Amino acid sequence: MSVRPAGDFKTHYAADMALLDTRLYRVGFLALLVVLAAAPVWAGRYLFLLNTIGIFAIGAVGLALLTGFAGQISLGHAAFMAVGAYTSWYVTTRLQWPFVAALPLAGLVAFVVGAVVGLPSLRIKGLYLAIATMAFQFITEYVIIHTAGGMAGNVVPPARIGGRVFQQEADFYLYLLLPLWLASGVFAANLVRGRIGLALMAVRDRDYAAQVLGVPLLYYKTLAFALAACFAGISGSLFAHYNRVIGAEHFGIGLSIDYIAIIVLGGLTSVWGPHLGAAFVTLLNQGLRFATPLLVAALPGLGKAATPLREIVFGTLLIALLIWEPGGLATLFRKLKRYLDLWPFPH
Amino acid sequence: MTLAFVLDGLVVGLAVGSIYALIALGFALLYKSTKILNLAHGELVLFGGYLAIALTRALDLPVLAAFGLGVAATLAAAAALGFVVERGVMRPLFGQPLLSVIIVTLALGYIIRGVMVGLWGGDTRQFPPVIPADVVRLGSIPIPRVGVWSAGVAVALLVVFSLFFRYSLWGIAMRAAANEQLTASTLGVSLKRVFAYAWAFAAIAGSVGGILIGLWLGVNFALAHVGLKALAAVILGGLDSIPGAILGGFIIGVLETVVGGYIDANVVLFGIPLQGFKDITPFLVILLVLLVRPYGLFGTEHIERL
């Protein structure tokens, strides 16, 4: 069965612009949506996994825009998430504003902070930028600990729209997370196909050349940072209202590195990458959490060695993937698709 | 800020700074010859500290002999680790984009730290008393004996490394490769070997730093952060300048102890006491340096042309 027609048979612009351009894709995407929407039925008590995946996928979409498409390395993505989470906390508890105001505000504040942090990216790049964003990460952690109660943890009220409180896993998932998740994915997918996305990719590939060709570097680099931060901020706000308790330890450098792992494992320059990566990393985390006690029970001599299992597995996976399949899971899927296309012939 | 406080801080800061300088040397060495910034360098520090302590404790000998043997074995292990990392991880990635390399070093750090914590647990571990834990006086300024020792060892090692680079054939080859990779390679310098040696030396420098810190404060898994402070030192000195890294180490040590310590204890901003400010001083230095002079004090200014 062929996934794609052997040629370009489009006859009007609308068909050419379509995000899902073959019937198989449209049907497949619809099926995926149905499956996701029906998750409260089939996932049962594991629905929290989908909630976690969704929250981190939204943040990862932002980082994929910044790192995958604009080529700006950031080791401070968790800090932007923290900005969103604490904005949301401040707005809902101190100012007593409703959640519907807190969520966009979290995105907005993170957007502004991201733009400010992104400004130096015009002067420094690559390694230096990675280090600068790492410094930003540590400074943000410090500020949180010393101004917002930090390590003790701050209690955030559940999300509430009108009279409805999204306290149950299923409510939060169906009415809040899924629409936002879908919207962020579609927004990013459209963004990278359009003028902004093309400009970002030009900046990634050779920023000076892009400038010579008339792409304003300052504008697009700052925009990339701001957009990435905005996604992270919204993800942070969702995390705060979902987890209900936030503390500095939720947004440490470890999470920033996890974000990098998510987009690298998922596939850097793929629209699907961040979603696949978030799902993979979350499931792997959960699997390891599940497997570690079993492993210790089976091999008691292992004892202490099993605690940092997650770090070792993560590190090994990242290195193996970068050596053998730098395109990540998205590329693996693409290869699988091609293989099925040609099956049973090898070429 | 009294004069006594400044003088105290200066001396302690220089002692701490000497360790930073040593660790920073590892960073700069590796960056200069391979253009890789090893974000797992802090974990190499951890590796040295943990392994040396474990070996010293495990050997059934008089303390000093066990310590000597333990350190020798640790340095050998560090060199081996450097070779393994270069051969197993970095060589297959040669020529890959910067992001991959950064992520790989981060992942490497994850693995090394995971293995260390897995083997020896997360609690702070100490050496058996190798050096008496008393305080010597330099004039009127008290300074822990361990601090004097670590400063001495660090300075000695810095001298050894710089002599090695100046006079030995391998040192010259490494400098050549660092200066102009392609030219050096066409003139018969084996880049593979140079890279392998650079990794081994970086691991050794990091490990010595770890041992010195272990002697002074003990090691725990949070020690990897010292690697980040050393990162501040290399950024300040200029990533590809070895003297810069050393000077940067001393400056960061003093800044952290004097300015950070002062703000830490005395400054209240908007009613919030700035405790723990010492720990983020290096990061503020990083940001400041990157904004004002991205190539550091002695680094080569990178000029980009199309």
Side-chain angles (χ1 to χ4, degrees):
Chain A
M1 175 196 64
S2 182
V3 178
R4 212 168 249 294
D8 202 347
F9 302 118
K10 283 156 188 162
T11 49
H12 45 102
Y13 286 122
D16 205 31
M17 298 280 289
L19 206 49
L20 301 160
D21 56 353
T22 65
R23 183 180 298 140
L24 184 73
Y25 287 175
R26 282 191 288 271
V27 173
F29 190 69
L30 202 67
L32 180 70
L33 276 188
V34 170
V35 169
L36 279 180
V41 181
W42 55 264
R45 67 196 178 91
Y46 291 105
L47 192 60
F48 76 96
L49 280 177
L50 269 174
N51 273 329
T52 317
I53 292 172
I55 289 171
F56 286 106
I58 293 175
V61 166
L63 188 62
L65 284 180
L66 179 65
T67 303
F69 288 94
Q72 309 293 306
I73 301 169
S74 166
L75 293 178
H77 208 58
F80 293 128
M81 201 173 162
V83 169
Y86 277 90
T87 306
S88 216
W89 162 76
Y90 187 82
V91 167
T92 48
T93 58
R94 295 288 168 86
L95 301 182
Q96 298 282 339
W97 288 7
F99 169 77
V100 273
L103 183 76
L105 256 178
L108 192 69
V109 171
F111 185 89
V112 174
V113 173
V116 173
V117 173
L119 279 179
S121 64
L122 194 67
R123 279 204 69 183
I124 55 179
K125 50 180 126 190
L127 264 177
Y128 291 94
L129 190 60
I131 297 163
T133 49
M134 194 158 77
F136 166 69
Q137 163 79 42
F138 282 109
I139 292 166
T140 309
E141 273 178 59
Y142 176 83
V143 169
I144 289 174
I145 292 173
H146 288 268
T147 54
M151 286 302 182
N154 301 0
V155 178
V156 183
R160 172 202 296 273
I161 295 178
R164 243 196 123 92
V165 184
F166 302 124
Q167 205 163 1
Q168 306 280 329
E169 292 276 356
D171 283 349
F172 183 87
Y173 174 75
L174 268 186
Y175 302 114
L176 195 58
L177 182 69
L178 196 56
L180 280 172
W181 187 3
L182 190 68
S184 72
V186 172
F187 177 78
N190 276 318
L191 190 82
V192 297
R193 301 187 309 150
R195 181 192 180 83
I196 294 177
L198 295 177
L200 290 184
M201 284 188 262
V203 168
R204 172 192 68 194
D205 291 338
R206 196 90 172 88
D207 56 354
Y208 273 40
Q211 187 164 38
V212 173
L213 293 174
V215 176
L217 275 192
L218 179 65
Y219 175 76
Y220 281 106
K221 281 186 171 178
T222 317
L223 183 70
F225 261 98
L227 274 174
C230 180
F231 276 95
I234 286 175
S235 145
S237 169
L238 286 173
F239 178 83
H241 289 282
Y242 174 67
N243 207 36
R244 307 277 308 281
V245 176
I246 50 173
E249 78 272 23
H250 288 131
F251 310 106
I253 180 84
L255 180 62
S256 280
I257 298 175
D258 278 2
Y259 263 123
I260 300 264
I262 286 177
I263 59 164
V264 171
L265 290 172
L268 264 179
T269 50
S270 153
V271 171
W272 288 99
H275 306 280
L276 290 173
F280 183 78
V281 167
T282 308
L283 293 177
L284 185 69
N285 258 337
Q286 192 59 30
L288 288 175
R289 205 170 293 157
F290 182 65
T292 310
L294 290 183
L295 204 67
V296 176
L299 300 163
L302 219 57
K304 260 190 298 187
T307 18
L309 192 66
R310 171 182 184 277
E311 266 140 31
I312 299 176
V313 171
F314 259 67
T316 317
L317 260 179
L318 270 178
I319 291 180
L321 208 70
L322 280 173
I323 290 178
W324 286 303
E325 187 54 273
L329 291 177
T331 307
L332 276 183
F333 271 98
R334 211 169 294 150
K335 281 185 176 166
L336 179 74
K337 205 165 69 186
R338 185 128 104 245
Y339 176 78
L340 289 179
D341 253 4
L342 297 173
W343 191 85
F345 306 106
H347 295 292
Chain B
M1 217 190 279
T2 60
L3 187 66
F5 179 84
V6 174
L7 279 178
D8 275 11
L10 205 65
V11 172
V12 176
L14 283 177
V16 180
S18 62
I19 299 181
Y20 291 168
L22 197 56
I23 301 171
L25 175 82
F27 266 121
L29 202 81
L30 193 64
Y31 183 79
K32 202 167 159 56
S33 36
T34 64
K35 296 285 172 290
I36 290 169
L37 185 75
N38 178 17
L39 289 178
H41 199 64
E43 276 76 9
L44 293 178
V45 175
L46 205 63
F47 174 82
Y50 265 116
L51 195 62
I53 288 181
L55 286 175
T56 310
R57 285 193 175 284
L59 289 172
D60 194 18
L61 288 171
V63 174
L64 276 180
F67 178 69
L69 271 178
V71 167
T74 304
L75 296 189
L81 178 72
F83 284 132
V84 169
V85 166
E86 198 279 332
R87 185 67 193 87
V89 180
M90 300 324 290
R91 201 176 293 173
L93 278 171
F94 188 76
Q96 288 278 332
L98 182 68
L99 180 69
S100 309
V101 177
I102 289 182
I103 297 165
V104 161
T105 60
L106 280 172
L108 207 63
Y110 259 38
I111 297 177
I112 297 176
R113 192 172 49 212
V115 172
M116 293 295 119
V117 174
L119 284 178
W120 290 300
D123 303 330
T124 303
R125 293 172 64 86
Q126 303 277 0
F127 274 105
V130 180
I131 297 172
D134 59 347
V135 170
V136 290
R137 294 198 164 270
L138 200 79
S140 62
I141 303 158
I143 173 169
R145 189 181 289 275
V146 189
V148 180
W149 269 95
S150 64
V153 172
V155 170
L157 269 173
L158 298 180
V159 171
V160 169
F161 267 118
S162 36
L163 286 180
F164 171 82
F165 283 116
R166 189 140 191 88
Y167 296 111
S168 83
L169 194 58
W170 274 112
I172 294 168
M174 287 177 76
R175 276 194 297 149
N179 232 8
E180 192 58 66
Q181 237 170 45
L182 215 60
T183 317
S185 156
T186 50
L187 289 176
V189 173
S190 159
L191 284 184
K192 283 179 188 171
R193 281 215 208 155
V194 164
F195 286 2
Y197 276 79
W199 271 97
F201 284 144
I204 289 176
S207 293
V208 175
I211 294 170
L212 290 176
I213 292 177
L215 281 173
W216 195 339
L217 305 166
V219 290
N220 61 19
F221 68 94
L223 200 62
H225 277 274
V226 177
L228 296 175
K229 288 181 181 171
L231 184 58
V234 256
I235 296 284
L236 178 61
L239 258 181
D240 51 2
S241 157
I242 288 173
I246 294 165
L247 188 67
F250 284 115
I251 296 178
I252 293 287
V254 170
L255 266 184
E256 184 192 60
T257 326
V258 178
V259 180
Y262 178 78
I263 293 177
D264 205 340
N266 301 314
V267 174
V268 175
L269 194 69
F270 307 121
I272 303 161
L274 293 177
Q275 281 155 359
F277 194 79
K278 213 175 133 184
D279 290 330
I280 60 159
T281 325
F283 299 111
L284 291 174
V285 172
I286 288 184
L287 279 189
L288 208 68
V289 173
L290 286 182
L291 284 180
V292 178
R293 211 180 145 89
Y295 41 91
L297 293 176
F298 302 108
T300 347
E301 195 169 353
H302 181 65
I303 298 167
E304 213 169 344
R305 294 196 180 87
L306 269 185

